[in-house]
Amino acid sequence: MDNEQALVKNNILDTINSPADVKRLSIPELKQLAEEIRQFLIRVISKTGGHLAPNLGVVELSLALHRVFSTPKDKIVFDVGHQSYIHKIVTGRREKFATLRQYGGISGFPKCTESEHDAFGTGHSSTSISAALGMAVARDLQGADYDVVAVIGDGSMTGGMAFEALNNAGTLHKKMIVVLNDNEMSISKNVGAMSEYLYQLRTGETYNKIKNDLESWLKNVDFGSDVLKALRRLKGSVKYLMVPTSIFEELGFTYLGPVDGHDVEGLIDVLQAARKINGPVMVHVLTKKGKGYKPAEESPNKFHGTGPYEIATGKKITNPDAPITYTEVFGKTITELADTDKKIVGITAAMPDGTGLSTFAKAHPERFFDVGIAEQHAVTSAAGIAAAGLKPVAAIYSSFLQRAYDSVLHDICIQNLHVTLCLDRAGLVGDDGYTHHGVFDYAYLRSIPNMTIMAPKDENELRHMLKTAVDFDGPISIRYPRGSGLGVDIVEPLHTLPIGKAEVLREGKDVCIFAIGSMVQSALDAAAALAEQGISAGVVNMRFVKPLDTELLFKCAKKYGKIVTLEEGVLAGGVGSAVLEALNKEQLLQQCRVLTLGIPDEFVLHGDKKLLFRDLSLDVPSIVKQTAELVKGK
């Protein structure tokens, strides 16, 4: 009988339907439950994909939180939220867990509309302490009585917003707990001075010379006996420190730790002690990302967010015939360009693997900079590099760049600096849902003067756009989707594209489809289907959102009298808006009907992209139907 069968024989997990069920368990039962949950996570995520390594690392911590605190009355706020799977399992979503990140299923992140136990919706990092502090303020203003806990990883502590919140929390001195989950990782290995500081806290001396005085002091305060109890119980396996000179103490927090994040009994003791302290508390917890599953322990970055995999080997289940991804093309091309252009510098915000810059980092380590989860700093530091005469290329996910909008506007565009922004995962990303869909960048970048915006129709065109960008003199951005390219040949030498010039891919007579980026192939497929209905559709690969090829646009407006715009982005302020504005300014809307197709004014849920495109009427059959109705005057 293997371990999984042995656990199933006396399965505790099947009896867990609410946090109350966790509270009734003994310590040995909690330990068994932790192992059952690990096996459950490994089994389910092997089929659905998801954030495996972060959740394997917080099993005991999550159980201890629900043993000590009582949600939904008490508020547990998860930073980013990709480590909330155990929380979901024990708060009534165990039976739905197999639908994780699937169309119509439960979200991979905390979601207030999904459960009353999800105190705050999230998906990006470094927000938990701010949100928790806000809840503590509201609690006190309303005269309520409940605990507020923020659970934040050491990776998220590289984000400036976390320190803004710590600074404010220390000043307000509200009763709240910050649990610092320290696994030495964000998605990739952590970088920066904070990482080094936490390392010193993990490995430094325990201030033995003041230990006796410290214990004497603890005995004379209300919470001292509980903390001492935790200290003695954790003897040998957990270091309990109260470091008066820590940065957290200087900011006004009581610092407890580091403590073993996989000792559920010790965690319960320390959390019980922390909740008795009348003021802000920092509980420093040490965990191992990927714990309990060898492939994830050995490669936590690969299992941070993973697709389906073979449990026995950890090998990803992929399509061997799938074309190269846009991310891989970007990584190889920017490295190739940097081989001959010594001014090119690569910048990422804690995503060297996710953005493809790990290839660049290996080839040109002296010109590669990972700034941590700090997109605003990444962008402004790129502006500084450009101001000093180099060519920074900042690769950041589209939805993450939203956090640096002000830096793009003030620090890059007002000064008209040559910074290349490469927006990976632009468009719908599928299973991560609305916190990660990169559908706003056309609109939020188009509104900024001096910004040039490109989007490639395929992976080969991405190469030429990168060449165009690094040779350009001014702010410029390229956005491209998640996943594989179209499988086109990549053979022609790199060359620059004429700025602001579109490409006619298909001539027609009845209607012209102006498509951008990932939607160009859909436009071609729609045109072919329309031809079968006797409708002759032209197709233009716009290439540039800003500046528009107005010469070609006006020519097509007069020739066809009917135009369809197609974008994988929000319609409000997006590409279709740009086309309408240009036609209106030229007074051509009176003689040209325009249909704009894109993302409506709503947040799109998670699920398979094909199903999302169908629901949004952006799949090929929907494009054909709507275009045909335009041509027929319906």
Side-chain angles (χ1 to χ4, degrees), residues 132-167:
L133 178 59
M135 291 177 181
V137 167
R139 175 200 62 202
D140 294 350
L141 288 173
Q142 294 169 330
D145 180 21
Y146 55 83
D147 287 305
V148 180
V149 183
V151 182
I152 184 169
D154 53 323
S156 291
M157 289 294 289
T158 61
M161 189 174 177
F163 286 92
E164 294 173 22
L166 285 174
N167 178 60

PDB file of all heavy atoms in Angstrom, residues 132-167:
ATOM      1  N   ALA A 132      -5.036  45.204   4.390  1.00  0.00           N
ATOM      2  CA  ALA A 132      -5.271  44.788   5.773  1.00  0.00           C
ATOM      3  C   ALA A 132      -5.308  45.994   6.709  1.00  0.00           C
ATOM      4  O   ALA A 132      -6.138  46.061   7.631  1.00  0.00           O
ATOM      5  CB  ALA A 132      -4.187  43.805   6.218  1.00  0.00           C
ATOM      6  N   LEU A 133      -4.419  46.949   6.489  1.00  0.00           N
ATOM      7  CA  LEU A 133      -4.420  48.154   7.312  1.00  0.00           C
ATOM      8  C   LEU A 133      -5.737  48.913   7.134  1.00  0.00           C
ATOM      9  O   LEU A 133      -6.324  49.408   8.105  1.00  0.00           O
ATOM     10  CB  LEU A 133      -3.235  49.044   6.959  1.00  0.00           C
ATOM     11  CG  LEU A 133      -3.147  50.375   7.711  1.00  0.00           C
ATOM     12  CD1 LEU A 133      -3.066  50.158   9.224  1.00  0.00           C
ATOM     13  CD2 LEU A 133      -1.940  51.188   7.223  1.00  0.00           C
ATOM     14  N   GLY A 134      -6.200  48.994   5.898  1.00  0.00           N
ATOM     15  CA  GLY A 134      -7.474  49.647   5.649  1.00  0.00           C
ATOM     16  C   GLY A 134      -8.612  48.974   6.401  1.00  0.00           C
ATOM     17  O   GLY A 134      -9.500  49.643   6.960  1.00  0.00           O
ATOM     18  N   MET A 135      -8.595  47.654   6.436  1.00  0.00           N
ATOM     19  CA  MET A 135      -9.622  46.918   7.176  1.00  0.00           C
ATOM     20  C   MET A 135      -9.522  47.173   8.680  1.00  0.00           C
ATOM     21  O   MET A 135     -10.543  47.302   9.370  1.00  0.00           O
ATOM     22  CB  MET A 135      -9.496  45.422   6.885  1.00  0.00           C
ATOM     23  CG  MET A 135      -9.865  45.037   5.470  1.00  0.00           C
ATOM     24  SD  MET A 135      -9.617  43.280   5.148  1.00  0.00           S
ATOM     25  CE  MET A 135     -10.108  43.197   3.431  1.00  0.00           C
ATOM     26  N   ALA A 136      -8.287  47.252   9.185  1.00  0.00           N
ATOM     27  CA  ALA A 136      -8.095  47.519  10.610  1.00  0.00           C
ATOM     28  C   ALA A 136      -8.597  48.922  10.961  1.00  0.00           C
ATOM     29  O   ALA A 136      -9.208  49.134  12.021  1.00  0.00           O
ATOM     30  CB  ALA A 136      -6.620  47.378  10.973  1.00  0.00           C
ATOM     31  N   VAL A 137      -8.358  49.883  10.084  1.00  0.00           N
ATOM     32  CA  VAL A 137      -8.849  51.243  10.297  1.00  0.00           C
ATOM     33  C   VAL A 137     -10.381  51.243  10.328  1.00  0.00           C
ATOM     34  O   VAL A 137     -11.010  51.832  11.216  1.00  0.00           O
ATOM     35  CB  VAL A 137      -8.327  52.186   9.194  1.00  0.00           C
ATOM     36  CG1 VAL A 137      -9.070  53.512   9.226  1.00  0.00           C
ATOM     37  CG2 VAL A 137      -6.824  52.420   9.361  1.00  0.00           C
ATOM     38  N   ALA A 138     -10.998  50.571   9.335  1.00  0.00           N
ATOM     39  CA  ALA A 138     -12.461  50.514   9.264  1.00  0.00           C
ATOM     40  C   ALA A 138     -13.042  49.813  10.488  1.00  0.00           C
ATOM     41  O   ALA A 138     -14.073  50.242  11.038  1.00  0.00           O
ATOM     42  CB  ALA A 138     -12.891  49.794   7.988  1.00  0.00           C
ATOM     43  N   ARG A 139     -12.393  48.747  10.921  1.00  0.00           N
ATOM     44  CA  ARG A 139     -12.843  48.022  12.118  1.00  0.00           C
ATOM     45  C   ARG A 139     -12.912  48.942  13.332  1.00  0.00           C
ATOM     46  O   ARG A 139     -13.918  48.977  14.049  1.00  0.00           O
ATOM     47  CB  ARG A 139     -11.888  46.857  12.394  1.00  0.00           C
ATOM     48  CG  ARG A 139     -12.150  46.082  13.682  1.00  0.00           C
ATOM     49  CD  ARG A 139     -10.906  45.305  14.086  1.00  0.00           C
ATOM     50  NE  ARG A 139      -9.785  46.194  14.356  1.00  0.00           N
ATOM     51  CZ  ARG A 139      -8.504  45.806  14.316  1.00  0.00           C
ATOM     52  NH1 ARG A 139      -8.184  44.562  13.996  1.00  0.00           N
ATOM     53  NH2 ARG A 139      -7.551  46.675  14.585  1.00  0.00           N
ATOM     54  N   ASP A 140     -11.842  49.693  13.541  1.00  0.00           N
ATOM     55  CA  ASP A 140     -11.792  50.554  14.723  1.00  0.00           C
ATOM     56  C   ASP A 140     -12.761  51.720  14.629  1.00  0.00           C
ATOM     57  O   ASP A 140     -13.360  52.132  15.630  1.00  0.00           O
ATOM     58  CB  ASP A 140     -10.361  51.058  14.926  1.00  0.00           C
ATOM     59  CG  ASP A 140      -9.394  49.930  15.283  1.00  0.00           C
ATOM     60  OD1 ASP A 140      -9.863  48.800  15.548  1.00  0.00           O
ATOM     61  OD2 ASP A 140      -8.170  50.165  15.280  1.00  0.00           O
ATOM     62  N   LEU A 141     -12.932  52.257  13.432  1.00  0.00           N
ATOM     63  CA  LEU A 141     -13.886  53.349  13.261  1.00  0.00           C
ATOM     64  C   LEU A 141     -15.321  52.889  13.513  1.00  0.00           C
ATOM     65  O   LEU A 141     -16.170  53.659  13.971  1.00  0.00           O
ATOM     66  CB  LEU A 141     -13.779  53.932  11.847  1.00  0.00           C
ATOM     67  CG  LEU A 141     -12.531  54.770  11.548  1.00  0.00           C
ATOM     68  CD1 LEU A 141     -12.482  55.137  10.077  1.00  0.00           C
ATOM     69  CD2 LEU A 141     -12.496  56.039  12.414  1.00  0.00           C
ATOM     70  N   GLN A 142     -15.575  51.622  13.210  1.00  0.00           N
ATOM     71  CA  GLN A 142     -16.923  51.084  13.378  1.00  0.00           C
ATOM     72  C   GLN A 142     -17.139  50.442  14.745  1.00  0.00           C
ATOM     73  O   GLN A 142     -18.237  49.958  15.035  1.00  0.00           O
ATOM     74  CB  GLN A 142     -17.197  50.048  12.279  1.00  0.00           C
ATOM     75  CG  GLN A 142     -17.240  50.665  10.879  1.00  0.00           C
ATOM     76  CD  GLN A 142     -17.240  49.605   9.782  1.00  0.00           C
ATOM     77  OE1 GLN A 142     -16.674  48.521   9.953  1.00  0.00           O
ATOM     78  NE2 GLN A 142     -17.873  49.908   8.662  1.00  0.00           N
ATOM     79  N   GLY A 143     -16.072  50.417  15.568  1.00  0.00           N
ATOM     80  CA  GLY A 143     -16.182  49.808  16.883  1.00  0.00           C
ATOM     81  C   GLY A 143     -16.368  48.310  16.839  1.00  0.00           C
ATOM     82  O   GLY A 143     -16.956  47.708  17.752  1.00  0.00           O
ATOM     83  N   ALA A 144     -15.858  47.657  15.798  1.00  0.00           N
ATOM     84  CA  ALA A 144     -15.994  46.207  15.642  1.00  0.00           C
ATOM     85  C   ALA A 144     -14.843  45.487  16.342  1.00  0.00           C
ATOM     86  O   ALA A 144     -13.884  46.112  16.806  1.00  0.00           O
ATOM     87  CB  ALA A 144     -16.041  45.844  14.162  1.00  0.00           C
ATOM     88  N   ASP A 145     -14.941  44.175  16.393  1.00  0.00           N
ATOM     89  CA  ASP A 145     -13.931  43.376  17.087  1.00  0.00           C
ATOM     90  C   ASP A 145     -13.596  42.144  16.246  1.00  0.00           C
ATOM     91  O   ASP A 145     -14.337  41.163  16.247  1.00  0.00           O
ATOM     92  CB  ASP A 145     -14.436  42.951  18.467  1.00  0.00           C
ATOM     93  CG  ASP A 145     -13.405  42.113  19.235  1.00  0.00           C
ATOM     94  OD1 ASP A 145     -12.203  42.204  18.896  1.00  0.00           O
ATOM     95  OD2 ASP A 145     -13.820  41.363  20.137  1.00  0.00           O
ATOM     96  N   TYR A 146     -12.534  42.227  15.493  1.00  0.00           N
ATOM     97  CA  TYR A 146     -12.051  41.069  14.741  1.00  0.00           C
ATOM     98  C   TYR A 146     -10.582  41.278  14.412  1.00  0.00           C
ATOM     99  O   TYR A 146     -10.062  42.391  14.502  1.00  0.00           O
ATOM    100  CB  TYR A 146     -12.864  40.834  13.459  1.00  0.00           C
ATOM    101  CG  TYR A 146     -12.967  42.009  12.512  1.00  0.00           C
ATOM    102  CD1 TYR A 146     -11.950  42.300  11.591  1.00  0.00           C
ATOM    103  CD2 TYR A 146     -14.108  42.813  12.501  1.00  0.00           C
ATOM    104  CE1 TYR A 146     -12.060  43.359  10.712  1.00  0.00           C
ATOM    105  CE2 TYR A 146     -14.224  43.876  11.616  1.00  0.00           C
ATOM    106  CZ  TYR A 146     -13.200  44.147  10.723  1.00  0.00           C
ATOM    107  OH  TYR A 146     -13.307  45.196   9.846  1.00  0.00           O
ATOM    108  N   ASP A 147      -9.920  40.183  14.061  1.00  0.00           N
ATOM    109  CA  ASP A 147      -8.500  40.246  13.729  1.00  0.00           C
ATOM    110  C   ASP A 147      -8.320  40.397  12.225  1.00  0.00           C
ATOM    111  O   ASP A 147      -9.136  39.912  11.423  1.00  0.00           O
ATOM    112  CB  ASP A 147      -7.780  38.976  14.200  1.00  0.00           C
ATOM    113  CG  ASP A 147      -7.615  38.930  15.705  1.00  0.00           C
ATOM    114  OD1 ASP A 147      -7.051  39.889  16.259  1.00  0.00           O
ATOM    115  OD2 ASP A 147      -8.066  37.952  16.338  1.00  0.00           O
ATOM    116  N   VAL A 148      -7.226  41.062  11.847  1.00  0.00           N
ATOM    117  CA  VAL A 148      -6.875  41.242  10.440  1.00  0.00           C
ATOM    118  C   VAL A 148      -5.452  40.733  10.236  1.00  0.00           C
ATOM    119  O   VAL A 148      -4.535  41.140  10.960  1.00  0.00           O
ATOM    120  CB  VAL A 148      -6.959  42.724  10.017  1.00  0.00           C
ATOM    121  CG1 VAL A 148      -6.592  42.870   8.547  1.00  0.00           C
ATOM    122  CG2 VAL A 148      -8.351  43.273  10.274  1.00  0.00           C
ATOM    123  N   VAL A 149      -5.300  39.844   9.263  1.00  0.00           N
ATOM    124  CA  VAL A 149      -3.995  39.233   8.999  1.00  0.00           C
ATOM    125  C   VAL A 149      -3.650  39.391   7.522  1.00  0.00           C
ATOM    126  O   VAL A 149      -4.455  39.055   6.648  1.00  0.00           O
ATOM    127  CB  VAL A 149      -3.994  37.730   9.347  1.00  0.00           C
ATOM    128  CG1 VAL A 149      -2.604  37.131   9.138  1.00  0.00           C
ATOM    129  CG2 VAL A 149      -4.471  37.493  10.774  1.00  0.00           C
ATOM    130  N   ALA A 150      -2.475  39.907   7.243  1.00  0.00           N
ATOM    131  CA  ALA A 150      -1.955  39.963   5.872  1.00  0.00           C
ATOM    132  C   ALA A 150      -0.892  38.883   5.721  1.00  0.00           C
ATOM    133  O   ALA A 150      -0.001  38.776   6.552  1.00  0.00           O
ATOM    134  CB  ALA A 150      -1.356  41.330   5.580  1.00  0.00           C
ATOM    135  N   VAL A 151      -0.998  38.084   4.682  1.00  0.00           N
ATOM    136  CA  VAL A 151      -0.008  37.038   4.406  1.00  0.00           C
ATOM    137  C   VAL A 151       0.750  37.442   3.153  1.00  0.00           C
ATOM    138  O   VAL A 151       0.197  37.451   2.055  1.00  0.00           O
ATOM    139  CB  VAL A 151      -0.680  35.665   4.208  1.00  0.00           C
ATOM    140  CG1 VAL A 151       0.382  34.585   3.977  1.00  0.00           C
ATOM    141  CG2 VAL A 151      -1.546  35.307   5.406  1.00  0.00           C
ATOM    142  N   ILE A 152       2.015  37.789   3.329  1.00  0.00           N
ATOM    143  CA  ILE A 152       2.813  38.324   2.213  1.00  0.00           C
ATOM    144  C   ILE A 152       4.119  37.558   2.078  1.00  0.00           C
ATOM    145  O   ILE A 152       4.770  37.232   3.072  1.00  0.00           O
ATOM    146  CB  ILE A 152       3.077  39.832   2.424  1.00  0.00           C
ATOM    147  CG1 ILE A 152       3.827  40.432   1.218  1.00  0.00           C
ATOM    148  CG2 ILE A 152       3.817  40.101   3.729  1.00  0.00           C
ATOM    149  CD1 ILE A 152       3.878  41.955   1.251  1.00  0.00           C
ATOM    150  N   GLY A 153       4.501  37.249   0.848  1.00  0.00           N
ATOM    151  CA  GLY A 153       5.755  36.553   0.603  1.00  0.00           C
ATOM    152  C   GLY A 153       6.934  37.499   0.581  1.00  0.00           C
ATOM    153  O   GLY A 153       6.776  38.708   0.371  1.00  0.00           O
ATOM    154  N   ASP A 154       8.122  36.955   0.791  1.00  0.00           N
ATOM    155  CA  ASP A 154       9.316  37.801   0.765  1.00  0.00           C
ATOM    156  C   ASP A 154       9.537  38.391  -0.623  1.00  0.00           C
ATOM    157  O   ASP A 154      10.105  39.474  -0.764  1.00  0.00           O
ATOM    158  CB  ASP A 154      10.552  37.040   1.242  1.00  0.00           C
ATOM    159  CG  ASP A 154      10.771  35.733   0.488  1.00  0.00           C
ATOM    160  OD1 ASP A 154       9.784  35.053   0.158  1.00  0.00           O
ATOM    161  OD2 ASP A 154      11.944  35.370   0.257  1.00  0.00           O
ATOM    162  N   GLY A 155       9.060  37.695  -1.666  1.00  0.00           N
ATOM    163  CA  GLY A 155       9.156  38.264  -3.007  1.00  0.00           C
ATOM    164  C   GLY A 155       8.335  39.530  -3.131  1.00  0.00           C
ATOM    165  O   GLY A 155       8.773  40.522  -3.709  1.00  0.00           O
ATOM    166  N   SER A 156       7.133  39.519  -2.566  1.00  0.00           N
ATOM    167  CA  SER A 156       6.271  40.701  -2.618  1.00  0.00           C
ATOM    168  C   SER A 156       6.822  41.843  -1.779  1.00  0.00           C
ATOM    169  O   SER A 156       6.440  43.003  -1.974  1.00  0.00           O
ATOM    170  CB  SER A 156       4.862  40.344  -2.128  1.00  0.00           C
ATOM    171  OG  SER A 156       4.219  39.491  -3.044  1.00  0.00           O
ATOM    172  N   MET A 157       7.711  41.518  -0.850  1.00  0.00           N
ATOM    173  CA  MET A 157       8.326  42.575  -0.041  1.00  0.00           C
ATOM    174  C   MET A 157       9.342  43.389  -0.825  1.00  0.00           C
ATOM    175  O   MET A 157       9.877  44.370  -0.321  1.00  0.00           O
ATOM    176  CB  MET A 157       8.981  41.964   1.200  1.00  0.00           C
ATOM    177  CG  MET A 157       8.002  41.455   2.239  1.00  0.00           C
ATOM    178  SD  MET A 157       7.039  42.766   3.011  1.00  0.00           S
ATOM    179  CE  MET A 157       8.312  43.546   4.013  1.00  0.00           C
ATOM    180  N   THR A 158       9.608  42.996  -2.073  1.00  0.00           N
ATOM    181  CA  THR A 158      10.472  43.823  -2.916  1.00  0.00           C
ATOM    182  C   THR A 158       9.680  44.950  -3.577  1.00  0.00           C
ATOM    183  O   THR A 158      10.265  45.813  -4.230  1.00  0.00           O
ATOM    184  CB  THR A 158      11.165  42.983  -4.007  1.00  0.00           C
ATOM    185  OG1 THR A 158      10.173  42.388  -4.855  1.00  0.00           O
ATOM    186  CG2 THR A 158      12.015  41.886  -3.396  1.00  0.00           C
ATOM    187  N   GLY A 159       8.361  44.915  -3.432  1.00  0.00           N
ATOM    188  CA  GLY A 159       7.516  45.955  -4.009  1.00  0.00           C
ATOM    189  C   GLY A 159       7.398  47.142  -3.077  1.00  0.00           C
ATOM    190  O   GLY A 159       7.158  46.993  -1.870  1.00  0.00           O
ATOM    191  N   GLY A 160       7.538  48.344  -3.617  1.00  0.00           N
ATOM    192  CA  GLY A 160       7.528  49.548  -2.796  1.00  0.00           C
ATOM    193  C   GLY A 160       6.237  49.770  -2.035  1.00  0.00           C
ATOM    194  O   GLY A 160       6.243  50.318  -0.928  1.00  0.00           O
ATOM    195  N   MET A 161       5.115  49.330  -2.576  1.00  0.00           N
ATOM    196  CA  MET A 161       3.833  49.537  -1.916  1.00  0.00           C
ATOM    197  C   MET A 161       3.797  48.850  -0.555  1.00  0.00           C
ATOM    198  O   MET A 161       3.156  49.339   0.386  1.00  0.00           O
ATOM    199  CB  MET A 161       2.702  49.015  -2.795  1.00  0.00           C
ATOM    200  CG  MET A 161       1.313  49.370  -2.311  1.00  0.00           C
ATOM    201  SD  MET A 161       0.083  48.836  -3.518  1.00  0.00           S
ATOM    202  CE  MET A 161      -1.420  49.276  -2.659  1.00  0.00           C
ATOM    203  N   ALA A 162       4.476  47.715  -0.439  1.00  0.00           N
ATOM    204  CA  ALA A 162       4.514  47.004   0.842  1.00  0.00           C
ATOM    205  C   ALA A 162       5.157  47.878   1.916  1.00  0.00           C
ATOM    206  O   ALA A 162       4.705  47.915   3.068  1.00  0.00           O
ATOM    207  CB  ALA A 162       5.273  45.693   0.698  1.00  0.00           C
ATOM    208  N   PHE A 163       6.207  48.617   1.534  1.00  0.00           N
ATOM    209  CA  PHE A 163       6.894  49.459   2.508  1.00  0.00           C
ATOM    210  C   PHE A 163       6.120  50.738   2.801  1.00  0.00           C
ATOM    211  O   PHE A 163       6.186  51.272   3.915  1.00  0.00           O
ATOM    212  CB  PHE A 163       8.315  49.761   2.026  1.00  0.00           C
ATOM    213  CG  PHE A 163       9.214  48.575   2.160  1.00  0.00           C
ATOM    214  CD1 PHE A 163       9.371  47.685   1.121  1.00  0.00           C
ATOM    215  CD2 PHE A 163       9.865  48.324   3.353  1.00  0.00           C
ATOM    216  CE1 PHE A 163      10.168  46.568   1.250  1.00  0.00           C
ATOM    217  CE2 PHE A 163      10.671  47.219   3.504  1.00  0.00           C
ATOM    218  CZ  PHE A 163      10.823  46.331   2.453  1.00  0.00           C
ATOM    219  N   GLU A 164       5.397  51.231   1.822  1.00  0.00           N
ATOM    220  CA  GLU A 164       4.512  52.365   2.088  1.00  0.00           C
ATOM    221  C   GLU A 164       3.490  51.975   3.158  1.00  0.00           C
ATOM    222  O   GLU A 164       3.191  52.750   4.071  1.00  0.00           O
ATOM    223  CB  GLU A 164       3.793  52.770   0.798  1.00  0.00           C
ATOM    224  CG  GLU A 164       4.722  53.321  -0.283  1.00  0.00           C
ATOM    225  CD  GLU A 164       3.994  53.556  -1.593  1.00  0.00           C
ATOM    226  OE1 GLU A 164       2.757  53.702  -1.566  1.00  0.00           O
ATOM    227  OE2 GLU A 164       4.655  53.591  -2.645  1.00  0.00           O
ATOM    228  N   ALA A 165       2.959  50.760   3.037  1.00  0.00           N
ATOM    229  CA  ALA A 165       1.962  50.283   3.999  1.00  0.00           C
ATOM    230  C   ALA A 165       2.588  50.033   5.367  1.00  0.00           C
ATOM    231  O   ALA A 165       1.997  50.372   6.402  1.00  0.00           O
ATOM    232  CB  ALA A 165       1.303  49.010   3.473  1.00  0.00           C
ATOM    233  N   LEU A 166       3.776  49.438   5.398  1.00  0.00           N
ATOM    234  CA  LEU A 166       4.459  49.202   6.675  1.00  0.00           C
ATOM    235  C   LEU A 166       4.713  50.521   7.400  1.00  0.00           C
ATOM    236  O   LEU A 166       4.525  50.636   8.613  1.00  0.00           O
ATOM    237  CB  LEU A 166       5.782  48.470   6.441  1.00  0.00           C
ATOM    238  CG  LEU A 166       5.712  46.980   6.095  1.00  0.00           C
ATOM    239  CD1 LEU A 166       7.108  46.473   5.744  1.00  0.00           C
ATOM    240  CD2 LEU A 166       5.130  46.168   7.248  1.00  0.00           C
ATOM    241  N   ASN A 167       5.147  51.504   6.650  1.00  0.00           N
ATOM    242  CA  ASN A 167       5.431  52.818   7.225  1.00  0.00           C
ATOM    243  C   ASN A 167       4.178  53.421   7.849  1.00  0.00           C
ATOM    244  O   ASN A 167       4.194  53.916   8.980  1.00  0.00           O
ATOM    245  CB  ASN A 167       5.982  53.738   6.130  1.00  0.00           C
ATOM    246  CG  ASN A 167       6.271  55.134   6.621  1.00  0.00           C
ATOM    247  OD1 ASN A 167       7.071  55.328   7.528  1.00  0.00           O
ATOM    248  ND2 ASN A 167       5.611  56.113   6.029  1.00  0.00           N
TER     249      ASN A 167
END
